[in-house]
Amino acid sequence: MALFAKDPRMQQARDDGRPRLPPGQRLTDGWPVLHYGSIPKVDLATWKFHIFGLVEQEVTLSWDEFMALSQSKSRSDIHCVTTWSKFDNEWDGVVMDDLFALARPKPEAAHVIFHSYGGYTTNVSLSELHGPENMLVHTHNGEPLTEEHGWPLRGLVPNLYFWKSAKWVRGIEFVAQDRAGFWEMYGYHMHGDPWTEERYG
Ligand SMILES: Nc1nc2c(c(=O)[nH]1)N[C@H]1C(S)=C(S)[C@@H](COP(=O)(O)O)O[C@H]1N2
Ligand SMILES: [Mo]
C-alpha cells in the first residue's frame, strides 16, 4: 500500500479543531479490504433492510424502496484500527437520521446494533449517529460499492474506527443497553474513537 508520510493533507485540521489524521494513523490512497469470513451472497431481488427493536414503527424495505428514499451525498475520511486512513471518500446513500425518522426510535433507545448478511454485528450509541455524515451508502467515488467493500449497502460512521461501518448491512436494531458486536466481543473498544485511540479494551 502506498503511504504518504509527507502528504500536506496530514497537517490539516478538521472543522472541530482536531487533526485531520488521528494519532497513530498513516495515510494510504488504496483501499484495503478487511473483514472476517467470506463475502456473503446477496441477491437484490430478495434483499431486505429491517429497522427493529425499540421503535414506534418497524420498517422493512426492499432494494427498490430503499433507493426511493431521499438520497444524499457526503465526503469523509475513514480510519481503520489497523492504522490506515483514507481521505476524501465521496459517498452516496441515505442519511441515518432520515432513515430513523421512518421508524421513530422510542425514548429508551440509546444504542444501535448494525446487523449484516453473514452475521457480522457492531454497536454504536444512537447519540453519535445523528448528523449528515452518518449514512447507509451504496456508492463510493461515483461507483457502486464492490462486493468486497460491502455491496450493495454498508454503514458509514466516519468519526469512529471503520469496524463500526458494517459491510453488507441488512438491518438496524435499537436497544436500551449497549451490547458488544462481533469485534467488540473479541476485545475491540465499545466506542472506538480514533482521536483518543480507543482501539482495544
Ligand atoms: N459485515 C462486515 N462488515 C465489516 C467487517 C466485517 O468483518 N464484516 N469488518 C469491519 C472492519 S474491521 C473494517 S476495518 C472495515 C473494512 O472495510 P473495507 O474492507 O471496505 O475497507 O469493515 C468493517 N465492516
Ligand atoms: Mo478493521
Side-chain angles (χ1 to χ4, degrees), residues 31-37 40 78-82 84 116-122 148-150 154 161-169 182-183 188:
W31 191 1
V33 173
L34 283 103
H35 52 260
Y36 181 81
I78 55 186
H79 309 294
C80 175
V81 72
T82 62
W84 57 266
S116 294
Y117 284 101
Y120 185 80
T121 54
T122 189
E148 68 264 28
H149 288 299
R154 74 178 299 157
Y161 282 123
F162 207 35
W163 87 79
K164 299 288 189 181
S165 295
K167 305 197 275 192
W168 314 293
V169 68
F182 178 83
W183 286 118
Y188 281 33

Side-chain angles (χ1 to χ4, degrees), residues 5 32 34 43 46 78 88 98 119-120 133 169 182 196 200:
L34 283 103
D43 178 357
T46 54
I78 55 186
D88 295 313
D98 293 342
Y120 185 80
E133 69 276 26
V169 68
F182 178 83
T196 52
Y200 308 101

Side-chain angles (χ1 to χ4, degrees):
M1 106 179 46
L3 296 169
F4 298 89
K6 301 248 179 335
D7 191 304
R9 293 178 301 175
M10 286 173 53
Q11 313 308 327
Q12 292 173 332
R14 294 161 42 105
D15 290 344
D16 60 15
R18 298 186 291 185
R20 190 168 182 194
L21 191 71
Q25 295 295 111
R26 302 183 301 167
L27 197 55
T28 178
D29 72 341
W31 191 1
V33 173
L34 283 103
H35 52 260
Y36 181 81
S38 50
I39 296 173
K41 291 278 166 276
V42 179
D43 178 357
L44 284 191
T46 54
W47 183 94
K48 289 276 187 298
F49 191 84
H50 298 282
I51 311 178
F52 62 104
L54 295 172
V55 291
E56 300 294 346
Q57 177 66 58
E58 285 204 5
V59 175
T60 301
L61 299 166
S62 67
W63 181 252
D64 288 346
E65 289 167 334
F66 185 87
M67 294 305 283
L69 300 175
S70 163
Q71 303 286 313
S72 300
K73 290 178 181 294
S74 68
R75 184 189 187 94
S76 55
D77 302 335
I78 55 186
H79 309 294
C80 175
V81 72
T82 62
T83 75
W84 57 266
S85 291
K86 179 172 172 55
F87 283 177
D88 295 313
N89 302 279
E90 290 182 9
W91 307 98
D92 291 75
V94 173
V95 169
M96 285 193 201
D97 278 325
D98 293 342
L99 206 56
F100 297 168
L102 301 175
R104 288 175 285 120
K106 292 183 174 173
E108 60 268 36
H111 300 272
V112 162
I113 314 288
F114 294 92
H115 292 263
S116 294
Y117 284 101
Y120 185 80
T121 54
T122 189
N123 54 305
V124 180
S125 74
L126 177 55
S127 62
E128 291 190 82
L129 293 174
H130 300 308
E133 69 276 26
N134 301 299
M135 302 176 71
L136 291 152
V137 295
H138 48 72
T139 300
H140 176 265
N141 290 352
E143 300 287 339
L145 288 176
T146 57
E147 271 199 320
E148 68 264 28
H149 288 299
W151 179 91
L153 192 72
R154 74 178 299 157
L156 174 67
V157 187
N159 290 327
L160 298 177
Y161 282 123
F162 207 35
W163 87 79
K164 299 288 189 181
S165 295
K167 305 197 275 192
W168 314 293
V169 68
R170 64 173 179 80
I172 292 179
E173 178 184 6
F174 288 88
V175 297
Q177 298 294 321
D178 201 7
R179 194 168 87 211
F182 178 83
W183 286 118
E184 293 84 2
M185 280 191 287
Y186 285 96
Y188 281 33
H189 203 280
M190 289 292 273
H191 181 214
D193 175 9
W195 283 271
T196 52
E197 294 199 71
E198 292 175 337
R199 297 174 189 273
Y200 308 101

